[in-house]
Amino acid sequence: MPSNAAEDEPERPDEPNGAGRRRKEKKQRSFWKELPILIAVALVFAFLIQFFIARVYMIPSGSMETTLHGCPGCTPDRILVDKLVYDFTEPEPGEVVVFKGPEPWVEDLPQEGSSNPVAGFFRDIGSMFGLAPPDERDFVKRIIATGGQTVECCDARNRVVVDGRPLDEPYIHWAPGQEPRQMEFGPITVPQGTVWVMGDNRNNSTDSRLQGGGGENGAVPVDNIIGKARFIVLPPSRWGTISDHNPQASQANALGAPAWQQGVPLGVGAVLAWPAVRIGRRFLGAGPLGSGRGTDDRRR
């Protein structure tokens, strides 16, 4: 018998009416299932940005008062440190920098880290966001002189002198009841490849004048510098930029980097950070994403 063509014809899945019935709808993950993924991605991006571009550090002591605030029992400043700037420029006088303490500075300090690996892990995580206690081997100070310059104190008006010229230091803080007289030292020629650093709270700062016994041992290798302190990000009442007034005012034109170079690190940071956020949003459907090991600006 002749076959019935209408009955033998296989069903065509591409027919308009059958397409919707045969297509499996893709199930979307619930918010609570996506939340851990988004948190993990945000932490990864935060880690990468802090490791390569910028990081938040906590100020634990008062040796940089009043530029940077820190004291026991209070809310210390959290500062944003630009880690790219010295890939493009050299450290300059007046810049506030975070650096790893050189050997003469840290040889008498206890070994870094916790004997408890779990506690150490959470401390490291917390330090990334400026929440954990400071690393006692990191410091924050202001650059006063660079390699090859001769620094000493003081002239007849109680000013630090670099290469025979007195410094203009409006950021110096004298604690109440404290005699505004600086400790005498030098003259000391700063070794090439290093910088001479001092605290703004001049008589309450253990810095290049004293660390390592003073002299050349107090200088900090440029390679130890982590980055330049640019902004106070917390607490909100302290928001603002960090002064980088060049105390060698008469030499500013010779020492200062071109303006376009000073802007390069921030521009590069923005260019690198934007694609990372876009990629995360594209693959995970996430919104915009959203941090520092403490600096030990110790007072002894």
Side-chain angles (χ1 to χ4, degrees):
M1 294 180 61
S3 62
N4 189 325
E7 294 177 356
D8 294 344
E9 184 176 0
E11 187 172 330
R12 299 175 60 184
D14 57 347
E15 289 291 334
N17 291 336
R21 291 193 301 269
R22 293 176 178 273
R23 184 185 303 115
K24 294 182 180 180
E25 295 184 359
K26 184 178 181 181
K27 292 183 179 180
Q28 293 185 345
R29 285 191 295 265
S30 70
F31 170 77
W32 296 111
K33 289 183 178 180
E34 288 191 344
L35 182 59
I37 299 176
L38 296 178
I39 292 175
V41 171
L43 290 174
V44 169
F45 285 148
F47 173 80
L48 292 175
I49 289 173
Q50 289 192 89
F51 190 82
F52 294 106
I53 300 174
R55 187 169 183 175
V56 173
Y57 285 79
M58 182 176 72
I59 305 301
S61 76
S63 70
M64 282 296 292
E65 293 281 4
T66 58
T67 302
L68 300 177
H69 183 55
C71 64
C74 67
T75 302
D77 287 343
R78 267 70 170 179
I79 60 173
L80 183 67
V81 174
D82 179 354
K83 302 180 73 173
L84 288 176
V85 60
Y86 298 126
D87 290 336
F88 298 90
T89 64
E90 293 297 321
E92 302 289 352
E95 296 176 343
V96 177
V97 294
V98 172
F99 56 93
K100 291 288 184 184
E103 187 59 31
W105 290 50
V106 302
E107 58 186 359
D108 294 330
L109 294 179
Q111 290 298 315
E112 180 181 0
S114 170
S115 57
N116 185 324
V118 176
F121 171 77
F122 283 106
R123 183 186 184 281
D124 289 342
I125 295 296
S127 70
M128 289 178 57
F129 295 89
L131 302 175
D135 175 4
E136 294 188 351
R137 294 170 180 265
D138 291 347
F139 297 78
V140 55
K141 303 289 181 186
R142 189 183 297 272
I143 297 175
I144 300 301
T146 56
Q149 295 188 313
T150 299
V151 58
E152 62 182 309
C153 186
C154 301
D155 69 357
R157 295 175 56 186
N158 192 37
R159 296 175 296 183
V160 174
V161 176
V162 174
D163 290 341
R165 300 176 181 178
L167 300 184
D168 173 37
E169 299 189 276
Y171 43 73
I172 290 182
H173 171 69
W174 305 107
Q178 187 180 75
E179 181 183 0
R181 181 69 189 177
Q182 302 194 58
M183 183 187 78
E184 296 185 4
F185 66 89
I188 299 164
T189 298
V190 183
Q192 293 292 343
T194 69
V195 293
W196 185 268
V197 297
M198 297 170 70
D200 290 358
N201 194 356
R202 193 53 53 86
N203 286 343
N204 288 281
S205 174
T206 305
D207 46 42
S208 290
R209 299 169 295 175
L210 298 171
Q211 291 283 8
E216 293 186 0
N217 285 340
V220 176
V222 172
D223 291 342
N224 282 44
I225 297 178
I226 296 171
K228 177 181 178 180
R230 288 196 179 273
F231 305 102
I232 299 173
V233 295
L234 285 174
S237 60
R238 294 272 297 163
W239 281 347
T241 57
I242 297 173
S243 165
D244 59 356
H245 171 78
N246 187 342
Q248 300 180 21
S250 62
Q251 304 174 39
N253 291 335
L255 294 173
W260 69 269
Q261 287 186 359
Q262 297 180 16
V264 165
L266 289 178
V268 172
V271 170
L272 292 176
W274 177 247
V277 175
R278 294 290 296 177
I279 291 172
R281 293 178 63 187
R282 178 175 180 180
F283 284 96
L284 296 176
L289 299 178
S291 115
R293 173 160 277 172
T295 63
D296 179 9
D297 193 0
R298 290 171 55 111
R299 232 186 316 181
R300 296 186 181 178

